[in-house]
Amino acid sequence: VKEPPRIHRLDESVVNRIAAGEVIQRPVSAVKELVENSLDASSTSISVLVKDGGLKLIQVSDDGHGIRYEDLPILCERHTTSKLSKYEDLQSIKSMGFRGEALASMTYVGHVTVTTITRGQLHGYRVSYRDGVMENEPKACAAVKGTQIVIENLFYNMIARRKTLQNSADDYTKIVDLLSRFAIHHIDVSFSCRKHGAARADVHSVATPSRLNAIRSVYGLLVAQNLIKIEASDNDPSSSVFEMDGFISNSNYVAKKTTMVLFINDRLVECTALKRALEVVYVATLPKASKPFIYMSITLPPEHVDVNVHPTKREVSLLNQEVIVEKMQSVVESVLRNSNESRTFQE
Ligand code: ADP
Ligand code: MG
């Protein structure tokens, strides 16, 4: 009979690297965390530069409030955050970050350099991090308003991850897709996304008061001219409380794949149940079953949303989710029917 093997504690550096690999699954997850940090910092302009699908370089620059000099030593430690102090705060959290894990994780699987300046300062500071700690004292440097974060050599110490990412279609497409989604929701912020060495940006949005303008500039005229505005709300505490507004494609729109851009309380999330439910409505309502384009922004009381169900915060769970999904289905269905009937009538 085999002796039971001894149990020992893993090295902290191993634990941290494993955890970091879950938070930062691929280059696009790093970009999402960095852009969300820039949004949390009240930026009005965010630009992203990417080299080699994000494996060589990811650079996110913003014009937000910056990071205090005194906070730089703990900035990239695990579980350091300015957005949460007690567990109960999670119930009412409005910021996109709260775990204080994103920057730390990046330093465990890549080389991170932060340049930042706060208001009223004559110069900024630049400092590099590795495995959660500063590599050197922050150096004074010239800086424009805000923060710039650079990640180099992502997954340099995770050979298998790096290899699969190098072989798979590059993450740049995913990054462009991500910024397109942010750009049509946060229409008071201008976004740009560019590949290193390219003359033109692949996403280039300017702040505009009109959502439809934003959609036109990011997704193009063919999408924008085939959209219908939708709105719905409910305020019945016994079933559901929400407000929703958005745009959905009409029967002239043609696409092979569904585009579903969903924000819940300003958080970019995925909800497979809702996506499937709405696809079903399209198939049932429109004879020429094209896959839809859907932009939806749903606001709910913060205490009805659990934002903490996924390490990358990609999914949320909602109180009364079935009720809400059903309501969205019926709103979309009636809007589609009406538009289809008025069109047939015109013809
Ligand atoms: P979280 O966003 O969950 O707080 P992060 O690791 O993403 O954790 O960031 C840690 C902290 O660093 C944030 O709480 C914020 O105070 C600060 N920070 C990160 N990025 C920026 C930025 N672009 N501008 C200003 N502050 C930032
Ligand atoms: Mg964050």
Side-chain angles (χ1 to χ4, degrees), residues 233-306:
S233 64
D234 194 11
N235 196 4
D236 176 358
S238 68
S239 64
S240 63
V241 181
F242 69 84
E243 272 176 41
M244 179 274 280
D245 72 73
F247 284 97
I248 59 170
S249 54
N250 63 21
S251 57
N252 293 325
Y253 178 78
V254 189
K256 287 207 190 76
K257 258 181 65 194
T258 302
T259 305
M260 169 106 195
V261 182
L262 176 64
F263 282 80
I264 295 182
N265 288 0
D266 293 321
R267 196 178 280 281
L268 175 60
V269 291
E270 280 172 30
C271 178
T272 315
L274 181 59
K275 183 178 172 188
R276 295 279 169 270
L278 297 180
E279 284 177 330
V280 168
V281 173
Y282 269 81
V283 173
T285 319
L286 298 183
K288 176 184 73 179
S290 161
K291 299 279 184 164
F293 177 99
I294 297 165
Y295 161 79
M296 254 188 200
S297 169
I298 304 177
T299 17
L300 304 148
E303 65 275 17
H304 289 190
V305 189
D306 185 356

Side-chain angles (χ1 to χ4, degrees), residues 47-276:
S47 31
V48 178
L49 179 69
V50 178
K51 192 170 178 178
D52 198 10
L55 291 178
K56 274 241 164 64
L57 173 108
I58 294 170
Q59 175 188 301
V60 176
S61 318
D62 68 46
D63 62 352
H65 56 49
I67 301 163
R68 288 167 211 266
Y69 171 76
E70 312 85 84
D71 288 341
L72 291 174
I74 62 159
L75 174 69
C76 294
E77 258 174 44
R78 260 186 100 189
H79 312 305
T80 57
T81 177
S82 57
K83 302 167 193 172
L84 180 80
S85 37
K86 47 185 203 303
Y87 188 80
E88 289 68 37
D89 296 347
L90 268 178
Q91 280 222 329
S92 52
I93 201 113
K94 290 243 168 65
S95 59
M96 282 175 252
F98 52 82
R99 291 165 168 255
E101 273 187 320
L103 284 180
S105 302
M106 294 172 208
T107 72
Y108 284 99
V109 296
H111 302 136
V112 174
T113 303
V114 177
T115 309
T116 189
I117 183 166
T118 50
R119 202 161 72 173
Q121 300 300 303
L122 295 175
H123 61 77
Y125 286 98
R126 177 170 300 142
V127 55
S128 298
Y129 296 84
R130 224 184 248 220
D131 297 340
V133 294
M134 296 200 295
E135 285 193 303
N136 52 279
E137 282 301 304
K139 287 194 186 71
C141 66
V144 286
K145 186 177 186 233
T147 303
Q148 181 182 75
I149 298 191
V150 174
I151 309 172
E152 286 162 295
N153 305 319
L154 192 58
F155 304 129
Y156 74 97
N157 52 3
M158 297 177 82
I159 312 287
R161 179 88 55 103
R162 214 182 149 87
K163 278 218 179 95
T164 46
L165 285 166
Q166 268 163 347
N167 294 339
S168 75
D170 99 9
D171 251 36
Y172 186 67
T173 331
K174 291 194 166 64
I175 294 170
V176 168
D177 182 65
L178 175 77
L179 279 139
S180 306
R181 289 163 189 257
F182 276 127
I184 67 167
H185 182 69
H186 297 280
I187 55 180
D188 49 351
V189 177
S190 57
F191 290 88
S192 87
C193 178
R194 193 162 56 84
K195 220 182 207 160
H196 182 87
R200 272 190 65 240
D202 294 289
V203 178
H204 183 77
S205 74
V206 287
T208 161
S210 149
R211 174 110 37 221
L212 207 51
N213 272 345
I215 297 179
R216 184 181 304 112
S217 92
V218 173
Y219 285 95
L221 188 60
L222 275 181
V223 176
Q225 72 188 4
N226 287 315
L227 295 180
I228 320 168
K229 190 164 172 46
I230 48 164
E231 274 173 336
S233 64
D234 194 11
N235 196 4
D236 176 358
S238 68
S239 64
S240 63
V241 181
F242 69 84
E243 272 176 41
M244 179 274 280
D245 72 73
F247 284 97
I248 59 170
S249 54
N250 63 21
S251 57
N252 293 325
Y253 178 78
V254 189
K256 287 207 190 76
K257 258 181 65 194
T258 302
T259 305
M260 169 106 195
V261 182
L262 176 64
F263 282 80
I264 295 182
N265 288 0
D266 293 321
R267 196 178 280 281
L268 175 60
V269 291
E270 280 172 30
C271 178
T272 315
L274 181 59
K275 183 178 172 188
R276 295 279 169 270

